[in-house]
Amino acid sequence: MQKEVEYENLKNECLKESEEPIVFGEGRLDAKIVLIGEAPGAKEIEMRKPFVGQAGKNLDEFLEIVEISRDDIYITNVVKIRPYRINKKTGRKINRAPNKREIDKYSKYLFKELEIIKPKLIVTLGNVPLKTLLNDFDAKISNLHGQVYNISNRIIFPLYHPAAVIYNRSLRGTYLEDLNRLKKYIKEKGIIK
Ligand code: URA
């Protein structure tokens, strides 16, 4: 089956299986690099695109440092719906971390996205995609960031989530070092020419 058809079928299957609006991945199906975040937030759901709004701004800064363009890559999330809870006082939705049930349900789509795209490099952003790809819920980004791993024939480069670096300024130096290491790896391996 043609990649595009397989991909559209996958997206439709995910849409049918979800009671909530979804944000699927976005980008080239022949991308050499796939970036994986945690889950969409309010803005992403509104625009039906991953990493827009503030998260998108953080990601754009990241891409600029690594010298890659959004047009060259594929961006997605482990969970395709927005995990939220309701603030009792205001009645408004607040983001929360995805739970194990949501991760299990949606990671099956993530693995199929990766099978279709077959990237040379997967960059995970934060703990959720790292734990999911390693299939190890004890894995921690603080121990594993900034290195290349070959796990089940997938080349993975774990990074802190760009938003975590905004909340925790002390991570900034480490994060920039990791980004430069990633940039060097991409250049040395000729992943994006
Ligand atoms: N954070 C994520 O991990 N993914 C998004 O799409 C937006 C914010």
Side-chain angles (χ1 to χ4, degrees), residues 23 36-42 44-45 49-52 54-56 75-79 95 125 129 161-163:
V23 174
I36 311 175
E38 183 175 295
E44 284 75 22
I45 293 292
K49 273 171 180 281
F51 285 97
V52 288
Q54 188 54 47
I75 305 178
T76 192
N77 285 299
V78 175
V79 170
N95 291 346
L125 305 174
H161 195 288

Side-chain angles (χ1 to χ4, degrees), residues 52-94:
V52 288
Q54 188 54 47
K57 278 195 201 125
N58 301 345
L59 188 75
D60 288 342
E61 186 202 22
F62 158 118
L63 294 172
E64 206 172 297
I65 295 171
V66 183
E67 291 176 8
I68 48 182
S69 148
R70 254 189 204 243
D71 298 339
D72 289 333
I73 60 176
Y74 180 86
I75 305 178
T76 192
N77 285 299
V78 175
V79 170
K80 313 300 191 206
I81 53 155
R82 176 189 180 193
Y84 66 83
R85 61 188 174 81
I86 303 286
N87 180 313
K88 287 204 185 99
K89 276 194 194 147
T90 62
R92 294 176 66 159
K93 292 178 181 175
I94 320 175

